Amino acid sequence: MQQVIERHDLHSGRNLDKTNQPQSVELQLENTTCTLLSKEIVEKTHELRKMKGEELQGLNVDELQELEQLLHASLGRVSKTKNEIFIKEISALKWKRDKMMDENQQLRQMENLLNVEAHLLGQGQPSELVTNICSSADPPHQDLHTSDTSLRLGLPYPHD
């Protein structure tokens, strides 16, 4: 029984020795890094609050002027970026406008062609011509190209 107690004491003593040993180098480095990062977080949070204008008390005139210059420079960068975005959007809108103007010009040319064909056929206005062509049971004359014109226009078929 005495031997068992001695062995227990011996093992317990070893465990105590292990817990009393200094921390490993890796653990010390980790703790140091954690401490440095915590300090940096506190500093950056304080700096952010100053930039937001929340913690200005205790700053002297020079620090306030430095903060003002920093904010002015930041505002300039924000304005520049905003203007660049506006310029891109304006360019895109101009491109769309030009495309729509081209399409509009093409539609006018097609309308003029229809007016000429309607005049030559004596059918009145182009809309009447298209309606007559689309609703007639007889196929249009192939030599007049009227069906080809209505197909090129992509005009809707009138539904009754």
Side-chain angles (χ1 to χ4, degrees):
M1 179 74 147
Q2 186 64 26
Q3 289 177 335
V4 172
I5 294 174
E6 287 175 7
R7 279 196 322 216
H8 181 322
D9 289 341
L10 181 64
H11 286 296
S12 297
R14 285 185 189 163
N15 289 339
L16 286 177
D17 289 343
K18 287 181 183 176
T19 58
N20 289 335
Q21 289 178 352
Q23 295 179 339
S24 70
V25 175
E26 288 179 5
L27 189 55
Q28 288 175 348
L29 250 172
E30 191 175 303
N31 286 339
T32 304
T33 304
C34 185
T35 304
L36 290 174
L37 289 175
S38 294
K39 286 180 183 178
E40 188 176 347
I41 288 173
V42 168
E43 289 173 10
K44 295 297 181 185
T45 303
H46 181 67
E47 187 178 326
L48 180 61
R49 286 188 180 152
K50 282 193 319 188
M51 291 184 82
K52 287 181 172 183
E54 295 174 355
E55 290 186 11
L56 300 178
Q57 61 276 14
L59 296 179
N60 62 31
V61 174
D62 291 336
E63 291 172 327
L64 288 171
Q65 285 178 336
E66 184 180 326
L67 181 60
E68 183 179 22
Q69 289 173 354
L70 178 67
L71 291 173
H72 184 65
S74 296
L75 181 61
R77 287 189 298 272
V78 169
S79 295
K80 181 181 176 187
T81 303
K82 180 182 73 170
N83 289 338
E84 289 171 355
I85 290 171
F86 281 157
I87 289 170
K88 285 180 185 176
E89 288 179 2
I90 288 169
S91 295
L93 289 172
K94 283 181 179 179
W95 181 83
K96 285 180 182 179
R97 179 202 61 196
D98 292 344
K99 183 178 175 185
M100 291 178 81
M101 289 176 73
D102 288 344
E103 289 175 1
N104 197 12
Q105 182 64 29
Q106 289 175 357
L107 288 173
R108 281 191 191 115
Q109 289 173 353
M110 287 183 193
E111 181 182 24
N112 288 338
L113 280 174
L114 281 177
N115 283 334
V116 169
E117 285 183 13
H119 181 70
L120 290 175
L121 293 173
Q123 297 261 341
Q125 295 298 317
S127 60
E128 294 171 5
L129 175 66
V130 171
T131 304
N132 290 341
I133 291 170
C134 291
S135 63
S136 67
D138 296 331
H141 302 290
Q142 294 298 330
D143 57 328
L144 295 177
H145 304 294
T146 52
S147 64
D148 187 42
T149 302
S150 62
L151 287 176
R152 277 188 277 133
L153 287 175
L155 296 172
Y157 184 81
H159 298 289
D160 293 331

